[in-house]
Amino acid sequence: MVRFIFKQESKITLIAFILIIAGLMLRFFSYTGAGNTALIAATLIAMLPIGIKAYQALIMKVFSIELLVSIAVIGALFIGEYVESSAVTFLFLFGSYLEARTLEKTRSSIKELTDMAPQEANLIQPDGSRKVIDADEVEIGDRIAILPGGMIPVDGKAVNGEAKINESAVSGESVPVSKMSGDQVFSGTILDSGYLEIKAEKVGDDTTFSKIIELVEEAQDSKSNAERFLDRFSQYYTPGVLILSIIVWAITRDLHLAITFLVIACPGALVIGAPVSNVAGIGNGAKNGSLIKGGEVIEKLSKVDTLVFDKTGTLTKGRPEVTDFKVLKGDKEELIGLIGKLEKASEHHLGRAITEFAEDTRDLSAYTMDHASGVKGRGIAGSVNGHSIIAGNRKMMKEHCIVIADNIEDYALNREKKGNTAIFAAVDSELLAVISIADKIRDDAKEALETMRENGVKHIVMLTGDNRHTASAVAEELGIDEVHAELLPEDKVRHVKRLKSEGRVISMAGDGINDAPAIASADVGLAMGKGGTDISMETADVVLMADRLNQYAHALSLSKSTMRNMKQNIIIALVTVALLLAGVLMGGVNLAIGMFVHEASVLIVIFNGMRLIKFKP
């Protein structure tokens, strides 16, 4: 029965409105008794959903706005103010209806994401035929056909075909991206033109798109400090209003005045002002490719004055390429094969670059890796085809007592000054090669950093495990204030903690496993979602789905605008209550006018919050 009443709220509101009009017309034509009956009927009908909500709140020991309105309406009926009792219940019910409809719009970006979740997949069967199955039924390793206009149901790699993919649902970028065999594709993206066959690597809840929806839904439930304060405030404010109303009646003996005071002091706009800004801000961020995990993160991000960046994959594109493979001794192709096979065990960008270079040169299946172990911030060591191989930076060489001759050191320094990273490779304890790897700076990095400075960022720091010469070259080009190179993950954490101890509010951005500890140590952690690792995405407070730093700049601007919007809503609510109280005390505001202004103020703060949906820096 209760559920049925709530489902019929819009119809109840309409019936109440018709009865009020009929009652007023009957009273106008001097049919006072019939008019009052219609107005009482309107009051009682409109009170059904209001009274039920008030009762449910009382059971939970909560003093709700519905309870205040119910008490006020009962008082108005008691003193014979039927016009005002019916007007108050109608306006409250109609206002609640409008609130619900407008709040739906603030969640539109999030609802669009949920509605876009892929439902079906074209499974390629062993005989080559295709079968349509539910997206949830796809298993890792299955081959899926994607036709023009079709949605990709899983994360995976293209194994056949060529196509243009719209990745806006994942990255926020509307320009289609070309994909061919070997390229990564993501669940929730749409094939604009062409044809692709993909091999499923992540399915169900593990896909990128599913994680986006999960993160955004969790973010809506995460409250900022301002929201939590207002929740606590309303717990005391609402019963306080009830007590004050009783005091007003005790002093003035004017029940009408006390009831009016009760209605106009309802904290509706105050309670809803912060959440609506929060939800709209999170929705805007999701629509533009930056997932902000809740109101508390928005609040912290708005206060950030110092940005800390990892280099590879964050400030740079994270797609480093081998620019030179200098052989000091031995057969070049054999060395490429041995080192390339070892680096297949590496998760680092530089290791992947060496493997890709080797695969273009040699058939790595001819090599057997016996074992391999990575050393964070240094390199990798292992055994391939019976040879002991070590590949990494100077620290790695020193730890394994590998001597770097002066002429080789000079060569490596020269390459590093030109923006390369030098990787030393030793086979059976003898240094045999120096591999130069370069990674281009992101196209939007310089502009994004300048935008962030304009939005209140005072200090920018780069922490990297790369060599100091390459780090300095990148920092100089981007105008970074402070650089620390050749760091281990624990060193990055130490620097983040040092900056925090100086009173700075830190945001740390990275993309790899080695960045996760520093991301977790910062006030706000940010991860690159498209090229980043799962652990860094889970650790971070903000995830950039397109790996574009201008999305970071957008998130910073958005957080500041969201907090300004929250403050505006709180001011609107407080000013409205103050003006209404003054109006009551001066005798210019009655019960119906008070409720009308109250509901109007609620809608004003909602509409103000909704401006964030279309926010652009």
Side-chain angles (χ1 to χ4, degrees), residues 312-570:
T312 307
T314 305
L315 291 172
T316 60
K317 292 183 177 180
R319 293 191 296 273
E321 297 177 353
V322 174
T323 58
D324 186 48
F325 196 105
K326 183 175 179 63
V327 177
L328 307 176
K329 183 181 176 181
D331 180 71
K332 182 174 183 178
E333 290 192 0
E334 181 66 10
L335 280 173
I336 289 173
L338 290 170
I339 298 165
K341 185 68 174 183
L342 176 70
E343 292 288 2
K344 281 186 77 73
S346 173
E347 293 185 343
H348 198 276
H349 301 285
L350 301 181
R352 289 201 294 267
I354 294 171
T355 297
E356 289 171 5
F357 174 78
E359 286 175 336
D360 291 339
T361 310
R362 301 285 286 172
D363 178 11
L364 297 185
S365 64
Y367 296 85
T368 302
M369 180 167 29
D370 302 316
H371 66 86
S373 59
V375 182
K376 288 183 180 179
R378 284 172 168 73
I380 190 169
S383 176
V384 178
N385 283 11
H387 294 283
S388 173
I389 303 172
I390 300 163
N393 57 22
R394 292 170 179 81
K395 290 180 180 179
M396 188 77 166
M397 297 299 110
K398 187 176 181 180
E399 285 179 1
H400 289 80
C401 301
I402 307 296
V403 178
I404 302 174
D406 290 342
N407 63 319
I408 302 304
E409 179 64 35
D410 291 340
Y411 166 80
L413 284 173
N414 184 51
R415 298 298 299 175
E416 288 169 350
K417 288 176 181 176
K418 292 180 179 179
N420 291 268
T421 299
I423 300 296
F424 300 90
V427 179
D428 297 328
S429 301
E430 185 179 3
L431 185 62
L432 296 185
V434 180
I435 307 160
S436 300
I437 302 174
D439 188 8
K440 292 183 179 179
I441 293 172
R442 292 185 182 275
D443 297 332
D444 64 336
K446 192 165 187 176
E447 182 184 356
L449 294 186
E450 288 173 357
T451 302
M452 292 178 196
R453 287 191 190 275
E454 291 169 4
N455 276 287
V457 171
K458 298 173 183 175
H459 196 63
I460 300 178
V461 182
M462 183 168 73
L463 305 178
T464 178
D466 210 342
N467 69 82
R468 55 191 171 85
H469 300 290
T470 304
S472 297
V474 172
E476 186 176 348
E477 185 170 344
L478 294 177
I480 290 172
D481 305 309
E482 185 179 335
V483 183
H484 299 279
E486 300 176 9
L487 302 177
L488 296 173
E490 55 265 32
D491 297 325
K492 293 182 180 182
V493 173
R494 178 169 50 81
H495 279 291
V496 169
K497 288 182 177 179
R498 171 184 59 81
L499 290 164
K500 287 176 70 175
S501 70
E502 294 172 2
R504 301 178 187 274
V505 182
I506 309 296
S507 176
M508 167 73 192
D511 73 320
I513 292 174
N514 61 328
D515 297 320
I519 288 172
S521 299
D523 295 297
V524 178
L526 181 137
M528 313 303 275
K530 196 172 179 182
T533 59
D534 286 346
I535 190 169
S536 61
M537 288 174 63
E538 289 169 8
T539 305
D541 301 302
V542 181
V543 181
L544 304 185
M545 296 315 300
D547 290 3
R548 292 176 62 85
L549 289 176
N550 58 17
Q551 290 180 332
Y552 194 0
H554 176 91
L556 275 171
S557 301
L558 177 64
S559 67
K560 292 181 183 296
S561 289
T562 301
M563 292 310 296
R564 280 197 299 270
N565 195 278
M566 280 188 187
K567 291 173 184 174
Q568 289 166 2
N569 282 348
I570 291 169

Side-chain angles (χ1 to χ4, degrees), residues 27-337:
R27 282 173 58 122
F28 179 78
F29 290 109
S30 300
Y31 297 103
T32 307
N36 287 342
T37 301
L39 292 172
I40 292 170
T43 303
L44 295 176
I45 289 170
M47 268 298 294
L48 275 173
I50 299 171
I52 291 169
K53 288 177 183 177
Y55 175 71
Q56 289 174 337
L58 266 179
I59 291 175
M60 301 296 293
K61 298 180 180 178
V62 174
F63 282 87
S64 65
I65 295 170
E66 285 82 7
L67 178 62
L68 296 184
V69 172
S70 299
I71 294 170
V73 169
I74 291 169
L77 288 172
F78 179 75
I79 61 175
E81 294 287 353
Y82 306 127
V83 174
E84 292 193 354
S85 68
S86 58
V88 166
T89 50
F90 166 73
L91 287 169
F92 186 83
L93 211 56
F94 185 59
S96 298
Y97 168 75
L98 291 178
E99 287 170 35
R101 291 297 301 270
T102 48
L103 277 173
E104 272 183 32
K105 292 185 179 181
T106 67
R107 296 175 181 264
S108 59
S109 299
I110 297 161
K111 189 175 183 300
E112 284 170 17
L113 277 176
T114 307
D115 291 343
M116 286 170 63
Q119 304 296 321
E120 296 179 338
N122 272 303
L123 177 68
I124 301 175
Q125 301 188 94
D127 62 359
S129 63
R130 294 200 294 259
K131 178 185 178 183
V132 177
I133 62 173
D134 288 342
D136 292 338
E137 295 177 11
V138 178
E139 297 180 357
I140 294 173
D142 284 348
R143 286 170 67 98
I144 307 295
I146 314 297
L147 307 176
M151 182 175 290
I152 297 174
V154 295
D155 288 2
K157 272 191 178 175
V159 293
N160 185 31
E162 189 173 343
K164 293 278 189 182
I165 304 290
N166 183 339
E167 296 187 334
S168 59
V170 170
S171 67
E173 293 293 318
S174 58
V175 179
V177 180
S178 295
K179 299 283 183 178
M180 58 184 67
S181 184
D183 288 338
Q184 192 77 30
V185 295
F186 301 99
S187 168
T189 59
I190 298 171
L191 191 147
D192 277 357
S193 60
Y195 171 80
L196 273 185
E197 291 179 9
I198 65 173
K199 184 178 179 181
E201 294 180 340
K202 291 182 179 180
V203 299
D205 293 338
D206 293 328
T207 64
T208 299
F209 193 73
S210 294
K211 286 184 177 179
I212 290 173
I213 294 172
E214 182 184 348
L215 289 174
V216 175
E217 287 177 342
E218 286 176 359
Q220 290 181 87
D221 297 328
S222 173
K223 295 185 177 183
S224 65
N225 289 331
E227 287 179 273
R228 284 196 289 268
F229 170 77
L230 289 173
D231 284 346
R232 290 194 301 271
F233 176 75
S234 64
Q235 289 176 5
Y236 298 101
Y237 177 84
T238 308
V241 167
L242 184 58
I243 292 168
L244 283 174
S245 299
I246 294 170
I247 293 171
V248 168
W249 173 79
I251 294 172
T252 63
R253 294 294 170 177
D254 187 337
L255 187 57
H256 184 274
L257 179 63
I259 292 169
T260 306
F261 180 89
L262 193 66
V263 169
I264 63 141
C266 289
L270 192 62
V271 171
I272 205 170
V276 73
S277 301
N278 180 31
V279 172
I282 290 169
N284 180 287
K287 194 173 183 179
N288 288 282
S290 54
L291 302 186
I292 303 172
K293 298 182 183 179
E296 188 172 0
V297 176
I298 287 178
E299 189 172 344
K300 285 182 180 177
L301 193 59
S302 71
K303 298 175 183 176
V304 165
D305 58 19
T306 300
L307 302 181
V308 181
F309 290 94
D310 168 52
K311 181 181 75 68
T312 307
T314 305
L315 291 172
T316 60
K317 292 183 177 180
R319 293 191 296 273
E321 297 177 353
V322 174
T323 58
D324 186 48
F325 196 105
K326 183 175 179 63
V327 177
L328 307 176
K329 183 181 176 181
D331 180 71
K332 182 174 183 178
E333 290 192 0
E334 181 66 10
L335 280 173
I336 289 173

